Amino acid sequence: MLEIKNLHVKLEEDDKVILKGVDLTVEAGKVHAIMGPNGSGKSTLSYVLSGRDGYEVTDGSATLDGVELLEMEPEERAAAGLFLAFQYPVEIPGVGNMTFLRTAVNAQRKARGEAELSAGDFLKIVREKAKALKIDAEMMKRPVNVGFSGGEKKRNEILQMAMLEPKMCILDETDSGLDVDAMKLVADGVNALRSEGRAFLVITHYQRLLDHIKPDVVHIMADGRIIKTGGPELALEVENNGYANLLAEVQ
Amino acid sequence: MAVAQAKLDAAVARLAGLDLPQGGWSGGARADAVARLQAMGLPAKRDEYWRYTDPTTLTAATPVAAAPFDASDEAQLFDAIDRVRLVFVDGVFDPAQSDDPVAAGVELLSQAADIHWAQGLYGTLEARGQNPVARPLAALNTAAATEGVLIRVTGQVAKPIHLVYLQESDTSDAILHHCVKLEEGAELTLLESGPGAARFNQVLEVEVADGARFHHIRIQGRDHDRRLATHIFARLGAESLFKSFTLTANGVMTRNEAVLELTGDDAMAHIAGAALGNGDYHHDDTVFITHAAERCESRQVFKNVLRNGAVGVFQGKILVKPGAQKTDGYQISQCLLLDEAAQFLAKPELEIYADDVKCSHGSTSGAIDDTALYYLRSRGVPLRQAQSLLVLAFLAEAIDEIEDEGIAGEIRLRLEAWLSRQDG
Ligand SMILES: Nc1ncnc2c1ncn2[C@@H]1O[C@H](COP(=O)(O)OP(=O)(O)OP(=O)(O)O)[C@@H](O)[C@H]1O
Ligand SMILES: [Mg+2]
């Protein structure tokens, strides 16, 4: 589904190179996890895939179902089925959460040539999904993420994902800031979306989330590269021993 | 300070070029206005409150020609509202296109009767508003206006009154003067859409008695070439309410002044504006609010969205007089610059002579938040639509000043349409 080949990325503004040849393939129906030390380039990878400004791809490619992502506008990537749950969800004063969600859902449907959801249908679906994530009606009325707690912001990301039903979901540290119960809610939300045609790339620092969302494959990223790929046991090894051994191996 | 001779000469010359109405019930007020104008002179670029806005085209003997604008691609505003429509074409009342003013309790400005209730209002609030800042274009208006409406309200007026300004002539030079008197406990909604002349000079005097409520919504646009100078002078009695919102889209020159005086305790005055400009566009909001009573609240909310060389100006003042304790004054002026060529100039002022007051003011200008834009796009919202959402979000605080949800919705649609028409 997602195929990243030899991806090299530097900052547009200066010469700092962040991704130094990332190779990664996520198959449909699978859950992949990425772990790695702070500053290794995990968020950068997710931003570059979703089309954020400020980065320059100097080499390599990234395709979604064979279609080159890196040439597309961010909204086209979203319509193609890519979704990024942000490590730091953005606050948008003045734009209601509900308006935002409806606009996004209908924009994607329109881009795919589907009919827009009626206001009634939309409300019905959103209420049901919000309830599952314990997001109350009052939060839906507030401006996007404004005044939300850290955990509320993360749950709001998952609500967006549930509404947009993307096929490739990237979750950047969605577990950080969540209490134990909220982590369970979020994991249930993700697991409910797991299906044959959908894949997940879960960026995390902790085994905890992976207890709930069982990964098929675990990658270790360090200094802009994937330095090791393995099964779920790799996450346990990191949890127990940190990154020192893994880093030493590749030296 | 001596007034420059050139300004005085300009005033005399300008008055000489006008056919000034004489006599009748407003004769005295008009003569006083002539005398005021002769003493203060016409505005000049050096004047403190004309530093950012060049008055030349507003004061000249003849207007710069402006082609009438065909706005038939959009539905008439306020069409969904059951209202009384009074139409002015090039600044002249047109009975054929209008509802019956008499049935609606509206009189047209005329010299006819010798005794008239408006005698105590016409030119009176304008004259009060000349201190401490001179407003020569308003004095000129009082002296010269032959058109306008006189509305006296004693109860709650069921239907809003809608003044519709249409333009037909390239060179029309309209001078309109409206007086509104709300007696104790009365309520009125006044709608205006236009401006509807190549050059338009308007004064609106509003006397809001104790417990009365005045709602005002006006739309100035989309005509591009027109030039416009408006003044609102309002005096508020105890526990009264004054709310005014203006949307300005396009227009090569707009100067909107508002002079509001809170003279009764517990009164509330809100004035808001949303201005959108692209290219050769100059928009100026100049506001002066005087708190002369206790526990009054005032709000000034002005938002500009500018691109491609457009200029926005805000000059807003809150004056709290001695004894006006527990005043709550708020002022915000903000500009969203859609590119680097646009410019916003703000001059917020507070002058406070009471010790137990709460006054705040702020002014900002900046670009669209790139991170928010990216976030919206990453959810599939196309660039244009995302920008439009963020611009509307920026304007929300001003639009929120419109109480009627239906009208607010119409204004939002107008804004979206304006945004979608902008290229690049
Ligand atoms: N816009 C930027 N300007 C300057 N430095 C940047 C920028 N974006 C990323 N970097 C740098 O690139 C490196 C990788 O950052 P990134 O956020 O991708 O790391 P990460 O793996 O997600 O870390 P964490 O686990 O702490 O979230 C860091 O050293 C970071 O400071
Ligand atoms: Mg990160």
Side-chain angles (χ1 to χ4, degrees):
Chain A
M1 167 157 302
L2 178 66
E3 203 165 355
I4 303 168
K5 283 191 185 144
N6 192 34
L7 187 62
H8 285 72
V9 170
K10 68 181 263 302
L11 292 178
E12 220 164 51
E13 299 279 291
D14 58 61
D15 288 333
K16 183 168 172 154
V17 178
I18 301 175
L19 300 183
K20 304 172 179 170
V22 174
D23 286 288
L24 184 70
T25 302
V26 184
E27 308 80 16
K30 301 287 189 216
V31 174
H32 285 223
I34 299 186
M35 303 180 84
N38 293 131
S40 55
K42 306 180 296 298
S43 293
T44 301
L45 175 63
S46 67
Y47 289 145
V48 169
L49 290 175
S50 76
R52 186 173 196 154
D53 280 346
Y55 303 100
E56 190 186 321
V57 176
T58 52
D59 202 359
S61 68
T63 56
L64 185 64
D65 283 339
V67 183
E68 181 57 71
L69 279 176
L70 303 177
E71 304 287 309
M72 295 187 209
E73 298 296 333
E75 57 268 35
E76 294 169 338
R77 302 179 197 206
L82 184 79
F83 180 87
L84 167 62
F86 283 58
Q87 180 173 3
Y88 305 107
V90 179
E91 299 187 2
I92 314 184
V95 177
N97 208 17
M98 194 69 105
T99 308
F100 164 63
L101 256 185
R102 195 174 54 233
T103 308
V105 167
N106 283 332
Q108 291 203 15
R109 293 180 75 100
K110 199 168 152 198
R112 289 193 292 256
E114 298 162 15
E116 296 192 355
L117 276 184
S118 75
D121 287 347
F122 172 80
L123 261 183
K124 216 178 117 210
I125 301 172
V126 96
R127 282 208 184 111
E128 183 192 312
K129 302 206 182 217
K131 197 173 158 207
L133 287 160
K134 294 221 162 69
I135 293 175
D136 60 27
E138 192 264 336
M139 254 172 80
M140 295 307 299
K141 280 195 207 129
R142 273 164 39 196
V144 179
N145 294 325
V146 176
F148 287 27
S149 74
E152 286 169 346
K153 285 181 181 167
K154 295 302 177 76
R155 276 185 278 149
N156 202 32
E157 294 289 290
I158 300 304
L159 174 64
Q160 291 165 35
M161 185 171 85
M163 289 302 297
L164 294 168
E165 301 185 323
K167 57 187 181 195
M168 181 67 232
C169 310
I170 305 173
L171 277 61
D172 191 359
E173 292 196 31
T174 301
D175 52 337
S176 69
L178 291 179
D179 65 38
V180 180
D181 297 328
M183 168 118 54
K184 184 91 187 9
L185 283 177
V186 163
D188 289 348
V190 170
N191 289 328
L193 282 172
R194 288 183 74 158
S195 76
E196 291 280 297
R198 186 171 284 132
F200 292 86
L201 187 59
V202 179
I203 299 169
T204 184
H205 286 294
Y206 304 105
Q207 171 60 34
R208 258 186 335 181
L209 181 69
L210 304 179
D211 287 339
H212 296 293
I213 307 171
K214 298 257 182 306
D216 300 293
V217 180
V218 175
H219 307 273
I220 306 299
M221 187 164 192
D223 193 22
R225 286 188 195 89
I226 303 292
I227 57 161
K228 187 159 186 172
T229 295
E233 72 286 348
L234 199 50
L236 285 170
E237 188 189 329
V238 168
E239 181 90 348
N240 295 331
N241 305 324
Y243 292 106
N245 292 344
L246 291 167
L247 291 174
E249 270 175 42
V250 292
Q251 289 301 307
Chain B
M1 198 172 32
V3 179
Q5 192 59 41
K7 288 174 44 144
L8 301 179
D9 294 346
V12 171
R14 181 80 178 91
L15 284 164
L18 290 166
D19 184 14
L20 299 176
Q22 310 283 332
W25 63 268
S26 61
R30 290 170 187 277
D32 288 351
V34 168
R36 272 198 297 283
L37 185 60
Q38 284 171 341
M40 67 180 113
L42 281 182
K45 193 87 186 94
R46 289 241 183 82
D47 296 355
E48 191 186 348
Y49 287 92
W50 288 94
R51 214 167 278 160
Y52 301 140
T53 299
D54 183 352
T56 312
T57 57
L58 298 173
T59 56
T62 50
V64 182
F69 186 83
D70 177 15
S72 56
D73 60 331
E74 258 181 326
Q76 266 273 346
L77 258 165
F78 309 131
D79 256 5
I81 301 166
D82 185 17
R83 68 213 196 279
V84 177
R85 277 178 95 243
L86 301 173
V87 179
F88 292 80
V89 178
D90 291 323
V92 179
F93 182 67
D94 181 1
Q97 296 192 62
S98 303
D99 293 327
D100 180 8
V102 179
V106 177
E107 287 174 76
L108 297 166
L109 180 60
S110 79
Q111 296 301 99
D114 240 5
I115 300 169
H116 197 283
W117 64 262
Q119 195 155 1
L121 182 52
Y122 187 89
T124 308
L125 296 185
E126 176 260 297
R128 281 178 73 94
Q130 296 290 355
N131 253 313
V133 181
R135 308 182 194 273
L137 292 170
L140 179 75
N141 179 301
T142 299
T146 54
E147 295 279 339
V149 294
L150 308 172
I151 309 173
R152 183 190 196 179
V153 190
T154 51
Q156 179 163 5
V157 174
K159 287 188 191 178
I161 290 169
H162 180 189
L163 306 177
V164 184
Y165 308 123
L166 304 177
Q167 183 189 354
E168 276 176 10
S169 152
D170 282 6
T171 53
S172 49
D173 193 14
I175 302 183
L176 268 82
H177 194 118
H178 307 306
C179 292
V180 176
K181 185 168 189 178
L182 289 134
E183 302 287 1
E184 217 165 290
E187 181 159 10
L188 174 75
T189 298
L190 182 68
L191 308 171
E192 294 181 273
S193 57
R199 184 168 69 178
F200 204 89
N201 176 331
Q202 179 182 295
V203 166
L204 169 63
E205 293 179 287
V206 191
E207 177 87 64
V208 191
D210 294 356
R213 302 164 73 81
F214 178 68
H215 309 270
H216 178 225
I217 309 222
R218 72 177 162 182
I219 313 299
Q220 304 171 324
R222 304 157 39 195
D223 333 41
H224 198 269
D225 295 333
R226 52 85 180 157
R227 289 157 207 274
L228 175 64
T230 76
H231 290 81
I232 300 174
F233 296 95
R235 181 162 56 178
L236 280 79
E239 293 176 27
S240 68
L241 172 87
F242 171 99
K243 272 198 142 188
S244 174
F245 171 88
T246 301
L247 168 67
T248 312
N250 300 354
V252 70
M253 166 63 69
T254 305
R255 165 92 161 197
N256 289 331
E257 296 199 32
V259 183
L260 314 178
E261 203 182 347
L262 297 135
T263 56
D265 294 341
D266 301 293
M268 195 194 277
H270 288 198
I271 183 152
L276 310 172
N278 184 359
D280 189 9
Y281 168 93
H282 185 102
H283 180 89
D284 175 333
D285 286 299
T286 293
V287 181
F288 197 114
I289 297 188
T290 304
H291 281 260
E294 292 190 20
R295 296 178 305 277
C296 291
E297 177 192 303
S298 71
R299 276 174 76 84
Q300 303 172 44
V301 182
F302 287 88
K303 305 262 181 165
N304 287 19
V305 178
L306 306 174
R307 75 187 308 162
N308 195 19
V311 178
V313 175
F314 174 75
Q315 310 183 102
K317 178 155 181 170
I318 306 175
L319 168 65
V320 181
K321 289 204 162 172
Q325 301 299 3
K326 306 269 186 229
T327 284
D328 182 356
Y330 174 77
Q331 178 196 88
I332 184 102
S333 64
Q334 292 182 306
C335 180
L336 192 60
L337 301 163
L338 296 183
D339 56 41
E340 273 158 28
Q343 195 185 9
F344 183 59
L345 304 154
K347 183 179 166 189
E349 292 177 278
L350 290 180
E351 197 176 328
I352 301 175
Y353 298 103
D355 49 19
D356 185 13
V357 303
K358 190 172 94 189
C359 279
S360 65
H361 67 107
S363 183
T364 63
S365 63
I368 277 197
D369 178 352
D370 279 339
T371 310
L373 198 61
Y374 159 63
Y375 189 65
L376 286 166
R377 296 176 76 192
S378 80
R379 297 310 183 234
V381 183
L383 176 63
R384 267 309 178 70
Q385 204 182 348
Q387 281 171 333
S388 166
L389 262 180
L390 293 176
V391 172
L392 284 175
F394 167 79
L395 294 170
E397 189 184 2
I399 299 167
D400 284 348
E401 290 294 330
I402 303 171
E403 276 180 15
D404 186 306
E405 229 349 275
I407 295 179
E410 271 194 72
I411 302 272
R412 274 187 213 104
L413 287 179
R414 281 272 146 148
L415 291 167
E416 277 173 35
W418 186 89
L419 291 166
S420 71
R421 280 193 301 271
Q422 308 306 306
D423 34 276

